[in-house]
Amino acid sequence: MTRPTPSPGTGPAGTAPVAGTVTGCPVIALDPLVRDLDGEAVRLRDAGPIARVELPGGVPVWAVTHHEEARRLLTDPRLVKDIEEWGAWRRGEITADWPLIGLANPGRSMLTVDGAEHHRLRAKVARALSPRRVEALRPGIERITERLLDELTARAEAEETAGGTPRPVDLKAAFAYPLPMGVVAELMGIDESDLPRLQELYDAFFSTQTPPDRVLAVLGELAELFGRVVEEKRKEPGDDLTSALLQAEDGGEPLTGEEVVNTLQLMIAAGHETTISLLVNTVRALLNHPGQLALVLSGEVPWETAIEETLRRHSPTSHVLIRFAREDVEIGGTVIPRGDALITSYSAIGIDTARHGADADAFDITRPTPIRHMSFGHGPHICPGAPLSRLEAAIALPALFTRFPDMTLAVPDAGLRNKPTVTQNDLYELPVLLRPPVTTSTESSR
């Protein structure tokens, strides 16, 4: 069993050096610009199952990179969400203007507590995201999907009528982004007029390039926006998640205003970004594998399988921040010392060859099913919004390819660029070429 000796590292701008960089143990620095996410995932996997990682700003942490070890650590009660257990935070080496602080310390919510308090907060969310409420969103998801596809169809038909060649369409901006955000607005009772500003704020929230003096302003504006939503729903409750979180049920106490605000911020951050990436990554993978796309379009392989294979191979969340060791934790012959931090590297876990075979690096919807991955987490903190994200993908993707079966990428895959966020598998854009769907004579007469 090894216990590496800590030595000084470098801290975020404006802070003291961060103790904990390991002498004699290779450290993989996560690229803040995310220029080679797949290559980085391979390096993490090959360094695993427990790897030493440096987050942007020179912050050293441990990363779990293999499937079985992740299952064990994500249910280990010695690894907690309370940032006060992080030695570097207690020593003042991590400050409130660190670009990733909103993910490491997002305020009191089910993400940052454990045990009985976690159960109390999560139970409210679970009831608010009951199977009944999620299924009730189906008509709204279908309506938004059809509206967005109608807009894309009108654009493609106008270009064909004009006799020009199809121009690239950013499918992320025109389809993959507005769909989950529209669903979020309906689910949480948020006014659609707030959605453009929310997009800007969350882009800054996840980015490693947000200046320190902007970090606190972004967090403050998000809290103000959601605080306004909470007050409106407190005065006029509706059939939405925000109102449900504010109501006492079964004799229990309602969440405080702060807890509701933080829960909304967390759920939108996790929910809409995950679904955007799931939609974009599935389209990208299938367009890069036309033989597999043909299997899905023919019905030989169900859409559910394509979605699960995308979740495994191209996890929407590349790394989840962050757990803290309340005491020494030994795993796979390595000790994570008390006070150190651990991240979960889902991009590496998804290509663990011990779990998924020697061809784990390949996207293959014909691999043996069920495809068991953990891209939505595992254990007490597993994502409660996973059923909704899957439902959105199961509705949107078949509808998209039914409408545009001849869709192609407008640029070589190598030309697609990731946004600068170490936590999300998120492209800047997905340019595609759309050809208008063929209309039958029956459809034309309607």
Side-chain angles (χ1 to χ4, degrees):
M1 182 167 64
T2 61
R3 179 167 183 167
T5 304
S7 63
T10 58
T15 71
V18 177
T21 303
V22 177
T23 301
C25 180
V27 177
I28 298 174
L30 299 186
D31 180 8
L33 299 180
V34 198
R35 286 164 288 197
D36 182 17
L37 182 61
D38 282 349
E40 192 170 80
V42 170
R43 290 191 293 276
L44 286 165
R45 176 196 62 190
D46 293 347
I50 303 297
R52 197 58 173 163
V53 166
E54 185 179 274
L55 295 175
V59 176
V61 297
W62 299 92
V64 57
T65 65
H66 288 187
H67 189 99
E68 289 306 318
E69 286 76 8
R71 284 176 60 89
R72 289 171 58 189
L73 291 176
L74 293 178
T75 55
D76 192 319
R78 296 171 295 176
L79 288 161
V80 299
K81 290 286 193 167
D82 182 3
I83 196 172
E84 295 302 326
E85 297 290 342
W86 193 7
W89 174 261
R90 291 198 310 269
R91 294 189 295 269
E93 296 160 2
I94 309 295
T95 58
D97 60 358
W98 180 42
L100 299 179
I101 196 64
L103 295 163
N105 188 32
R108 182 178 177 76
S109 72
M110 63 181 182
L111 183 68
T112 57
V113 296
D114 298 281
E117 275 300 279
H118 173 258
H119 177 75
R120 181 181 75 87
L121 295 171
R122 186 183 176 88
K124 294 285 291 186
V125 174
R127 283 194 291 269
L129 280 176
S130 66
R132 178 194 65 82
R133 186 181 292 274
V134 170
E135 183 58 30
L137 291 168
R138 179 183 292 272
I141 299 171
E142 293 173 342
R143 183 178 63 254
I144 296 170
T145 298
E146 288 304 307
R147 174 176 60 79
L148 294 172
L149 291 178
D150 286 346
E151 292 172 0
L152 289 172
T153 298
R155 174 172 174 172
E157 289 176 342
E159 289 177 350
E160 184 180 58
T161 301
T165 57
R167 289 176 294 176
V169 175
D170 180 5
L171 196 67
K172 179 182 176 183
F175 185 73
Y177 174 79
L179 173 59
M181 283 305 287
V183 175
V184 161
E186 183 170 327
L187 172 66
M188 298 185 177
I190 296 173
D191 195 298
E192 289 190 3
S193 64
D194 287 325
L195 299 185
R197 183 55 180 160
L198 273 177
Q199 179 182 11
E200 295 171 355
L201 291 171
Y202 276 115
D203 282 346
F205 178 86
F206 284 108
S207 177
T208 60
Q209 304 302 295
T210 302
D213 61 352
R214 177 77 177 125
V215 171
L216 294 178
V218 167
L219 295 175
E221 189 172 345
L222 282 169
E224 180 181 350
L225 190 155
F226 291 124
R228 173 165 47 82
V229 172
V230 167
E231 287 308 307
E232 290 172 355
K233 295 301 176 181
R234 197 187 299 277
K235 295 175 183 176
E236 296 185 25
D239 184 22
D240 53 70
L241 184 144
T242 305
S243 299
L245 292 175
L246 287 166
Q247 295 166 7
E249 297 179 2
D250 302 325
E253 294 183 4
L255 304 188
T256 67
E258 178 190 6
E259 289 169 340
V260 176
V261 166
N262 292 338
T263 297
L264 292 179
Q265 179 173 318
L266 161 67
M267 294 189 67
I268 294 180
H272 89 280
E273 283 288 341
T274 297
T275 306
I276 292 168
S277 296
L278 174 56
L279 295 173
V280 167
N281 294 343
T282 305
V283 172
R284 179 186 185 183
L286 290 174
L287 293 183
N288 279 315
H289 296 84
Q292 296 187 49
L293 174 58
L295 293 176
V296 179
L297 294 180
S298 70
E300 187 172 341
V301 175
W303 274 102
E304 176 188 10
T305 300
I307 291 167
E308 295 305 315
E309 176 66 353
T310 302
L311 286 167
R312 178 199 71 83
R313 179 58 186 87
H314 302 292
S315 173
T317 304
S318 45
H319 308 282
V320 165
L321 280 55
I322 200 165
R323 284 171 164 80
F324 312 103
R326 181 168 281 169
E327 57 185 87
D328 288 0
V329 177
E330 187 273 329
I331 186 85
T334 297
V335 171
I336 301 171
R338 175 185 177 184
D340 275 15
L342 174 81
I343 68 172
T344 310
S345 294
Y346 288 108
S347 58
I349 291 168
I351 57 171
D352 180 4
T353 54
R355 178 65 180 180
H356 302 291
D359 67 341
D361 289 1
F363 176 84
D364 183 7
I365 63 174
T366 67
R367 68 178 60 251
T369 55
I371 301 167
R372 300 196 183 279
H373 58 80
M374 57 171 62
S375 290
F376 286 116
H378 178 70
H381 288 276
I382 192 170
C383 177
L388 177 57
S389 186
R390 284 186 166 106
L391 177 62
E392 291 179 63
I395 291 171
L397 291 166
L400 172 66
F401 278 96
T402 296
R403 192 76 71 99
F404 299 106
D406 299 323
M407 176 171 49
T408 58
L409 289 176
V411 299
D413 188 78
L416 300 175
R417 296 182 302 133
N418 281 86
K419 294 179 71 173
T421 165
V422 298
T423 59
Q424 308 302 124
N425 183 357
D426 190 10
L427 293 176
Y428 273 106
E429 59 183 4
L430 184 67
V432 299
L433 296 176
L434 302 177
R435 294 168 180 80
V438 176
T439 303
T440 66
S441 57
T442 301
E443 291 172 327
S444 300
S445 64
R446 289 177 183 171

